[in-house]
Amino acid sequence: MDPISVYVGNSGTTARFLLGLLAFTNPSRIRGGSRQVLLHGTSRMHERPIGDLVDALRVGLSTLVVGGTPTLEYIGREGCLPIRITLAPSMTFKDGGVEEVVRLSVNSTQSSQFQSSLLLATPSLLHRAGEGVRVVVEGGSEVGEGGTPTVVSGGYIHMSAHMLGQFGAVSYTHLTLPTKRIV
């Protein structure tokens, strides 16, 4: 069966947010029953970096899932769209009980949208994982003042987390993100 084509045009925001959501999508929810999705855009979008987000999703999935892991495969240039996502009809999650904490960590020094993508994907992940799993989304990698990691546009990450909390999708209690200063 051919992959479902998701064309994002020139919208990096759409590509980044959809990638996280698609990685945890159950294919039974996709019309036609295809297990593959091709996420792509304009030729310019195929030059823009998305590798840090893909790496974070791969590590997060390998940490949490023991069977039926979705795959994320670059079709062209490494680290950029297009990406073929092969969905997993049934994921077997590690059984860690109430204390299981999954850390999804992404380098957010290029774009706050990487971290927002993981935040937006968290409700889908939790829905598939069930009770007893807690997801902690972390960002930053460059060290700023005082040895603290920095992120780009941290306010947008706060806004994403707050919005999800308002809808009851995640427990939003505290988020501290030192941001880069533009001089």
Side-chain angles (χ1 to χ4, degrees):
M1 185 176 290
D2 289 333
I4 293 175
S5 174
V6 177
Y7 180 75
V8 297
N10 202 29
S11 177
T13 302
T14 303
R16 291 167 178 158
F17 289 178
L18 276 178
L19 183 58
L21 290 171
L22 288 170
F24 300 113
T25 297
N26 186 327
S28 67
R29 298 193 172 270
I30 295 180
R31 192 173 0 151
S34 178
R35 289 189 54 226
Q36 291 189 341
V37 176
L38 179 64
L39 186 62
H40 62 108
T42 64
S43 60
R44 176 64 181 116
M45 279 302 299
H46 294 183
E47 298 171 1
R48 294 176 63 187
I50 200 164
D52 288 333
L53 177 56
V54 171
D55 292 346
L57 287 166
R58 285 176 175 162
V59 169
L61 285 164
S62 69
T63 301
L64 181 62
V65 179
V66 291
T69 306
T71 60
L72 307 170
E73 173 190 2
Y74 296 112
I75 301 303
R77 182 176 159 198
E78 187 78 13
C80 300
L81 294 181
I83 295 175
R84 180 181 12 249
I85 303 149
T86 303
L87 306 173
S90 61
M91 291 185 202
T92 304
F93 291 89
K94 293 180 181 175
D95 182 20
V98 178
E99 299 303 315
E100 181 69 18
V101 176
V102 176
R103 294 196 181 281
L104 297 177
S105 185
V106 65
N107 179 347
S108 299
T109 58
Q110 286 185 336
S111 173
S112 62
Q113 292 173 354
F114 294 164
Q115 194 166 357
S116 289
S117 176
L118 296 179
L119 285 169
L120 292 170
T122 298
S124 293
L125 170 60
L126 292 174
H127 177 73
R128 292 199 70 182
E131 297 296 318
V133 175
R134 199 164 54 101
V135 177
V136 176
V137 177
E138 302 172 319
S141 72
E142 291 181 358
V143 177
E145 294 178 29
T148 308
T150 61
V151 297
V152 174
S153 304
Y156 289 109
I157 299 168
H158 281 280
M159 184 173 56
S160 296
H162 182 71
M163 184 261 323
L164 286 165
Q166 291 295 309
F167 284 92
V170 296
S171 174
Y172 171 68
T173 53
H174 184 68
L175 186 62
T176 304
L177 298 169
T179 57
K180 287 185 175 180
R181 287 189 301 177
I182 307 296
V183 181

